[in-house]
Amino acid sequence: MKIAIGGIATESCTFSPLPTRLEDFRIVRQTDAQFAALYPFLADYPQVDFHGTITAKAMPGGPVEASAYATLKNRLLDGLRKLLPLDGVYLDMHGAMNAQGMDDAEGDLISAVRELVGRDCPIAASYDLHGNVSERIMRHLDIISGYRTAPHIDTVETRARTMALLLRCLREGTSPVKAFVPIPVGLPGEKTSTEWVPGDEIYAAIPGEIDGQRVWDATIQVGYVWADEPRMTACAIAIGSDESAIMRAANHLAQRFWDRRADFQFGVEALSIDDCIQRALAVEKGTALISDSGDNLTAGGPGDVTAFLERALALQPPDLVYAGISDAAAVRACLQAGLGGEVALPLGGKLDNRNSQPLPVRGEVEFIQADEANPQAVLRLGGVRVLLSARRTSFQRRQQFLDLGIIPERHAIIAVKIGYLVPELKAMATGGAYLALSPGAVNQDITALPFQRIQRPCYPFDADMQWTPDAQIM
């Protein structure tokens, strides 16, 4: 069997003013060392001839520039074209990409792949559970399977499951029937994590709908709410050999999600910026961690909104590490001043000038990391240390702090531009965690954002709406 592997994966906040460019994508090819790390399970199938095209991944951001999307799409299609004829295609996707001037970028890409490889070549795609799925996507895919954890700790497992389903199609010479239920709910990931109720219970119900014969697989997509386009919605999907069984499974999962829609809440206390800092100051032991959620880079925030930092400087905490601000000009100024030098500069507010303006600061350069790809610095402003990076940088790992001379457990408060905590940050929060309801492109106040193009009615925008699931066979 000859199977091609590729994909374009990113999460696009349509409220962000910062476009995602071609250079923001990391492109992995089969000859790259990272390829084996993405797909270690390929070694389990020595009889299969796998061919990598390109797998392009970018951290969440604003809409992808039209030219960048066109370039990546053409590279992927060119790679597939050279491999024809193919027995199958596996697409490693995220599912919430928006390209400038285009709705449903994944639908456009997948339909182009289908046109190229033909109707008889099965196409499988793995999705982040924050992907938005359209009828167009469902029509052109034979298999779709999504993550079941948020924070995402089952990425490789999901890829492996999707590939196994594709190989099953080829072995059995058949494609599964697909049932699809769009659920008119749009909620942020910070409320729908699978680590607490009701997300944990809802996702725990998925395996019970799968019998391996009539129902091969089932998926619940929370969706990505900061995308103002018609396909923004949660959904339930089931695939298998028995039409009535997959319709029943998809409707069960959709009903379960819908019934709990009002129960989704933040997993930690969600407060104003000032209240979060005051609560953290009251912690007597351990490190308190605060999420600056409105400018969360892992959801598409630009990474230089200064609202949280401005309030922190006003409240003057004696020991707060802020991670961080993406500001190339500020990093250059720190490098020029040198270690121990003093700088006065306008900080942040350059990437996202819709939600903040540059903040004038004066401080001491406490640490420099003159990395050629992404130079960084630590700027001390009284009791507040700000981690600066030339490129958009999401601080999710302890090592990132250590690399900048910050030992997390030695500090009273750490504030990070993130939403729910990934495992390493959660481990650092020995004094508790709080979520700051801060402004930004990925503001948690969903109903206050300027949506114009989503399908209505939709919860929570239309809180009193009624709905009953009705699975479609695709």
Side-chain angles (χ1 to χ4, degrees):
M1 290 185 284
K2 185 178 179 183
I3 294 177
I5 297 172
I8 306 173
T10 190
E11 190 175 66
S12 303
C13 172
T14 61
F15 302 110
S16 170
L18 185 69
T20 299
R21 299 180 171 88
L22 185 61
E23 57 265 31
D24 295 321
F25 283 88
R26 176 174 58 91
I27 297 175
V28 178
R29 296 176 175 83
Q30 191 169 4
T31 53
D32 298 334
Q34 303 99 308
F35 188 85
L38 289 175
Y39 314 112
F41 50 86
L42 299 184
D44 298 335
Y45 305 104
Q47 74 280 17
V48 179
D49 191 12
F50 293 109
H51 293 267
T53 56
I54 64 162
T55 300
K57 296 182 180 294
M59 73 180 296
V64 179
E65 287 186 337
S67 60
Y69 171 71
T71 296
L72 293 172
K73 174 184 173 182
N74 289 334
R75 288 183 187 176
L76 176 58
L77 293 176
D78 287 346
L80 292 173
R81 193 174 290 110
K82 293 173 183 176
L83 295 170
L84 293 176
L86 286 161
D87 294 302
V89 176
Y90 164 64
L91 297 175
D92 187 356
M93 310 292 281
H94 177 284
M97 176 170 55
N98 177 278
Q100 291 176 341
M102 176 191 298
D103 284 335
D104 194 6
E106 282 86 2
D108 176 78
L109 180 67
I110 291 166
S111 61
V113 172
R114 171 60 70 201
E115 183 178 358
L116 179 65
V117 302
R119 187 68 254 176
D120 295 334
C121 177
I123 304 173
S126 59
Y127 263 48
D128 188 300
L129 59 72
H130 297 124
N132 293 324
V133 182
S134 66
E135 290 187 17
R136 184 184 189 187
I137 289 168
M138 292 298 300
R139 282 198 308 271
H140 291 297
L141 285 177
D142 296 279
I143 292 163
I144 178 171
S145 192
Y147 299 169
R148 296 175 185 171
T149 63
H152 311 314
I153 58 174
D154 65 334
T155 54
V156 173
E157 178 185 336
T158 302
R159 292 174 185 139
R161 181 173 66 247
T162 306
M163 182 62 77
L165 289 166
L166 175 60
L167 291 172
R168 177 176 181 175
C169 283
L170 294 172
R171 284 196 307 270
E172 298 182 4
T174 185
S175 289
V177 188
K178 300 164 291 182
F180 175 52
V181 189
I183 308 169
V185 173
L187 292 171
E190 283 61 45
K191 285 189 173 181
T192 53
S193 170
T194 62
E195 290 197 330
W196 57 79
V197 174
D200 58 348
E201 298 173 351
I202 289 170
Y203 273 82
I206 292 177
E209 299 289 348
I210 301 168
D211 63 14
Q213 296 302 318
R214 295 179 303 162
V215 181
W216 292 11
D217 191 56
T219 293
I220 297 173
Q221 294 289 119
V222 170
Y224 177 71
V225 74
W226 293 287
D228 189 15
E229 56 176 285
R231 65 174 172 146
M232 190 288 290
T233 184
C235 72
I237 299 166
I239 64 173
S241 59
D242 186 302
E243 184 174 305
S244 62
I246 64 168
M247 287 181 68
R248 185 166 54 249
N251 281 331
H252 282 173
L253 294 174
Q255 188 69 60
R256 188 183 294 266
F257 193 93
W258 173 257
D259 289 345
R260 303 299 298 273
R261 66 193 182 282
D263 298 335
F264 288 102
Q265 301 295 331
F266 297 113
V268 299
E269 280 193 277
L271 307 163
S272 69
I273 296 173
D274 284 28
D275 286 345
C276 281
I277 295 174
Q278 296 290 2
R279 290 290 184 92
L281 285 170
V283 172
E284 296 181 357
K285 186 177 181 181
T287 299
L289 202 144
I290 304 173
S291 297
D292 179 6
S293 67
D295 195 28
N296 171 13
L297 283 90
T298 68
D304 77 334
V305 175
T306 56
F308 187 100
L309 179 60
E310 184 174 14
R311 293 309 306 152
L313 294 176
L315 293 170
Q316 298 184 349
D319 181 18
L320 184 149
V321 175
Y322 185 59
I325 294 285
S326 302
D327 190 329
V331 172
R332 284 196 300 270
C334 289
L335 294 177
Q336 290 170 2
L339 196 61
E342 185 176 282
V343 295
L345 46 80
L347 187 58
K350 303 176 182 70
L351 303 177
D352 187 351
N353 52 24
R354 294 179 187 172
N355 291 291
S356 74
Q357 298 299 316
L359 180 66
V361 299
R362 180 183 294 273
E364 177 189 345
V365 180
E366 191 171 79
F367 197 93
I368 288 174
Q369 186 187 68
D371 178 75
E372 184 175 340
N374 184 26
Q376 299 181 66
V378 178
L379 182 62
R380 183 163 185 169
L381 309 172
V384 177
R385 292 175 172 85
V386 185
L387 309 190
L388 304 177
S389 56
R391 301 188 63 177
R392 293 175 67 235
T393 302
S394 176
F395 289 87
Q396 302 182 52
R397 295 178 291 105
R398 184 172 183 269
Q399 189 61 48
Q400 290 175 285
F401 292 86
L402 297 178
D403 288 344
L404 293 176
I406 301 291
I407 301 175
E409 55 269 23
R410 294 184 182 176
H411 294 277
I413 305 172
I414 295 178
V416 181
K417 287 184 179 293
I418 202 164
Y420 58 70
L421 301 183
V422 297
E424 286 197 43
L425 291 178
K426 189 174 182 180
M428 288 162 50
T430 55
Y434 305 91
L435 187 139
L437 298 172
S438 51
V442 289
N443 193 320
Q444 295 291 323
D445 189 0
I446 300 303
T447 58
L449 291 170
F451 285 96
Q452 297 179 359
R453 306 185 61 251
I454 60 173
Q455 298 281 354
R456 303 287 292 269
C458 179
Y459 182 88
F461 307 94
D462 306 288
D464 298 328
M465 66 175 288
Q466 302 296 312
W467 180 76
T468 301
D470 183 17
Q472 310 168 55
I473 295 298
M474 306 299 295

